[in-house]
Amino acid sequence: MRALLPTAALLLAIAGAIFLRAHDLGNRPLHNDEAVNATKLAALWDKGEYKYDPHEYHGPSLHYFSLPILKLSSAINSAGGASVPASQPQRLVSSVAPPNFSDTQLRIVTVAFGVGLILLLLLLKDGLGHSATAWAALFLAVSPAMVFYSRYFIHEMLLVFFSLLTLVAGWRYSRSRKLIWAIITGAGVGLMSATKETFVLTLAAMIGALFAERMWNRRQQSIAPQTNKTKPAIRTSHIASALTAGGVVWMLFFTSFFTNSAGPSDSLATYLPWLNRAGGASPHIHPWNFYFERLLWFHPAKSPVWTELTIFLLAIMGAIAGFVGNRERVTYPGLTRFLTFYTVALTGLYTLISYKTPWCALNFWLGVILLAGIGATALVKSFRNKLARALLTGLIGVGVLHLALQAWLLSHKFAADLRNPHVYAQTSPHERELVERVKAIALVAPEGFATTVKVISPESYWPLPWSLRDFKHVGWFEEMPADAFAPIVLVSAKLNATLDDKSNKAWIMTGYYELRPNVFLELYVERALWEKFVATLPRAEE
């Protein structure tokens, strides 16, 4: 019976993770980054084109792993015309039709990797212990940060998954010295590198943690010599195999499977622009406590308190147990200490770097969650009384339910709300209203989706290039062009365009829409086209 409880908890965690991550995936408009990724994926899907950009957009793994999932979905047809900004924003562009991906279809890949994290834990079960694995699985399933960004079509969840894959494979190799695990470890690092440039921070933390744990063991041996059985030495051939596996994966992805010879060198050159941003040349510069504020205690006005303090406090207990606990409470103290060194090092690196976006916290939060699983088990086992253990287990269970409730609210009611700690430069729900209105107007125009649209904004106009992909002719401008008029015009409110006055009311300003926080667009429509559209509306909308 005792062995069945962790198994039941694992199954519950998997079911809960799927439900929280997959339910109503399309309820939030695409973030700017999601739309950019969608555009690059469309080019790969429709024309087989992908080329790594060392200045933007991160690695290729997100796009290539999306392909098989999309092939299993209904994303097999192309929509009308695509509209992708030209390299020179002042030029009118006409593009080839991309696939008609829905927001939900795009996000399935990150849902899959988010759930996959829990499955990987099964390979750590002998190191964490059955109970700690079950608790860690539950925390992974309901962590609001993990849930929210599993519903996000960006690279971070894949990076976290491949990081855990590398840790798990490394652990399995340390236990068995089998060649296959050395190869998987190397491939895991290769996949990390093919996902996001910040993988170097995770890799540095792993190496540092290995060194720190070895130093700790040497110190303990000098204080109290032990007679532990010596493990077989690591073979040079295994190291070579791991490096080869990582190199092959790196080469395959960055050459876009041998179609882009410059990709590997670009993957190295990328660190110059990224170091520049990390040093402060970016709008994403935040203070050292940015991540902790959003994870541990976020309480804006007229909002619930958002907190994952339960996980954090249990993680502290788990870390302590790795140093002072015994085998009765901690299954494998050496692994716990490694996770502690790793998590502290990675947290420190992300905290010290001025460049911060909230999803980056997932990388060190994974380690915190694993330690929380160990901490929950160690805390319960510290009580010998069965009733006390049951009550404490129930109390931690309440904490799990509280986290699950937060994850649900943040993913639904507060999915695009600024009171959500994980909402960051999020596209406003009004963007969808704007796009629907523009499409509805185009439907009554003689040219339909071939109607010319001009978008004029000195600020980023994403995700509109993706949202307006059905239009064949869209002009993108960062400043007012000499001729700003077209049948449909979207203009940043900051430009004070007054196209209605300048055209003597031949154009009508028909709406004012929020694109992102503090970014507003005015919709101007040629008067004759607008009157034709209004004639199709029910009287209540006129």
Side-chain angles (χ1 to χ4, degrees), residues 52-56 197 265-275:
Y52 175 71
D53 187 330
H55 301 284
E56 289 284 358
E197 297 77 9
S265 59
D266 284 342
S267 74
L268 301 177
T270 188
Y271 290 97
L272 289 176
W274 283 109
L275 282 172

Side-chain angles (χ1 to χ4, degrees), residues 298-306 410 413-414 417-421:
F298 193 78
H299 189 202
K302 298 180 181 180
S303 167
V305 174
W306 308 111
L410 291 173
K413 182 179 179 180
F414 294 87
D417 195 307
L418 289 176
R419 292 172 293 176
N420 182 331

Side-chain angles (χ1 to χ4, degrees), residues 24-196:
D24 197 13
L25 262 182
N27 67 347
R28 174 181 53 79
L30 289 183
H31 184 276
N32 297 357
D33 293 349
E34 291 181 285
V36 170
N37 290 332
T39 300
K40 293 179 76 68
L41 175 59
L44 178 60
W45 172 276
D46 198 52
K47 297 180 283 186
E49 295 178 359
Y50 176 85
K51 185 177 180 180
Y52 175 71
D53 187 330
H55 301 284
E56 289 284 358
Y57 314 132
H58 304 305
S61 69
L62 175 66
H63 312 295
Y64 281 104
F65 278 101
S66 295
L67 291 180
I69 291 178
L70 286 171
K71 286 179 180 178
L72 293 173
S73 73
S74 58
I76 57 176
N77 299 317
S78 291
S83 52
V84 180
S87 58
Q88 297 178 344
Q90 289 74 21
R91 295 180 58 188
L92 195 66
V93 299
S94 177
S95 305
V96 179
N100 190 19
F101 303 150
S102 70
D103 295 356
T104 296
Q105 289 168 327
L106 289 170
R107 291 166 175 160
I108 290 174
V109 64
T110 49
V111 168
F113 279 94
V115 175
L117 284 170
I118 297 173
L119 299 177
L120 281 179
L121 286 183
L122 297 176
L123 295 172
L124 272 180
K125 194 163 55 174
D126 60 336
L128 299 178
H130 291 275
S131 177
T133 301
W135 281 120
L138 287 170
F139 293 139
L140 269 176
V142 302
S143 162
M146 288 289 176
V147 171
F148 192 81
Y149 292 120
S150 290
R151 300 165 59 89
Y152 231 81
F153 186 58
I154 58 174
H155 299 73
E156 215 66 40
M157 192 53 62
L158 274 71
L159 177 59
V160 174
F161 178 90
F162 295 136
S163 298
L164 183 57
L165 174 64
T166 302
L167 288 173
V168 165
W171 165 253
R172 298 252 54 89
Y173 179 75
S174 74
R175 301 289 288 168
S176 67
R177 291 294 193 260
K178 291 183 177 179
L179 175 61
I180 183 62
W181 290 116
I183 293 173
I184 295 174
T185 302
V189 175
L191 288 166
M192 288 166 61
S193 72
T195 302
K196 195 176 178 184

Side-chain angles (χ1 to χ4, degrees), residues 286-365:
H286 297 287
W288 70 271
N289 63 338
F290 176 77
Y291 297 121
F292 301 110
E293 178 187 32
R294 289 173 180 258
L295 288 167
L296 303 184
W297 196 266
F298 193 78
H299 189 202
K302 298 180 181 180
S303 167
V305 174
W306 308 111
T307 176
E308 298 194 41
L309 203 55
T310 297
I311 292 175
F312 185 72
L313 294 177
L314 288 172
I316 293 175
M317 295 179 189
I320 293 172
F323 289 91
V324 301
N326 53 46
R327 286 295 185 107
E328 182 183 342
R329 298 178 186 176
V330 181
T331 300
Y332 203 95
L335 176 61
T336 302
R337 289 192 296 270
F338 167 81
L339 290 173
T340 300
F341 290 133
Y342 167 74
T343 303
V344 170
L346 193 54
T347 303
L349 288 171
Y350 273 103
T351 299
L352 290 172
I353 294 173
S354 299
Y355 182 101
K356 295 179 176 69
T357 50
W359 44 83
C360 289
L362 298 182
N363 294 280
F364 64 80
W365 200 242

